[in-house]
Amino acid sequence: MDRNQSKNLFLFIGCLSAGVVTGWLLISRSDRKNILKIRENYRKAGKWFGGQNRKVINHGKKSVSAFTEYIRNSFEKSIPDLYDATEEISIEDTGTVNTSHA
């Protein structure tokens, strides 16, 4: 979910919340019933939004992990392993390099 979609989601939830509150306040019920109904709706909206938030965070973590793995694999393919490349090279006490397998 990109930044514009997040902003649109927040705007939608804000407008929806304002409409719900206004609607419940304008209907003819006692104030106590209105407050309880508004609280219930806010709890439901909060649970839904919390679930959406967790989904976005999990998706972001998966995307970052996949990107990190892609970069790691790219480096491993393009850069030779120096341990494997120098495994059979021995340095003698004289300071010369000996590549024979004796």
Side-chain angles (χ1 to χ4, degrees):
M1 183 179 283
D2 67 356
R3 186 167 282 194
N4 286 333
Q5 288 176 333
S6 297
K7 287 180 183 179
N8 289 338
L9 180 65
F10 290 129
L11 181 62
F12 172 75
I13 291 172
C15 290
L16 182 66
S17 298
V20 168
V21 169
T22 304
W24 283 112
L25 290 176
L26 292 177
I27 60 175
S28 60
R29 290 187 182 179
S30 70
D31 289 340
R32 177 84 174 141
K33 286 182 182 178
N34 283 338
I35 290 171
L36 291 176
K37 196 64 175 174
I38 290 170
R39 257 191 222 158
E40 178 186 339
N41 288 332
Y42 268 114
R43 282 188 193 126
K44 288 179 183 177
K47 286 180 184 178
W48 178 84
F49 186 71
Q52 296 300 315
N53 191 23
R54 282 188 293 277
K55 286 180 186 177
V56 168
I57 289 171
N58 288 336
H59 178 70
K61 285 180 181 179
K62 288 178 185 176
S63 297
V64 168
S65 294
F67 181 71
T68 302
E69 188 65 27
Y70 171 76
I71 294 297
R72 183 179 297 126
N73 289 337
S74 296
F75 275 112
E76 286 176 358
K77 288 179 183 176
S78 63
I79 299 174
D81 186 4
L82 295 179
Y83 291 109
D84 288 340
T86 59
E87 184 176 47
E88 296 179 2
I89 298 176
S90 65
I91 300 177
E92 298 176 354
D93 290 336
T94 59
T96 60
V97 176
N98 181 7
T99 57
S100 65
H101 303 297

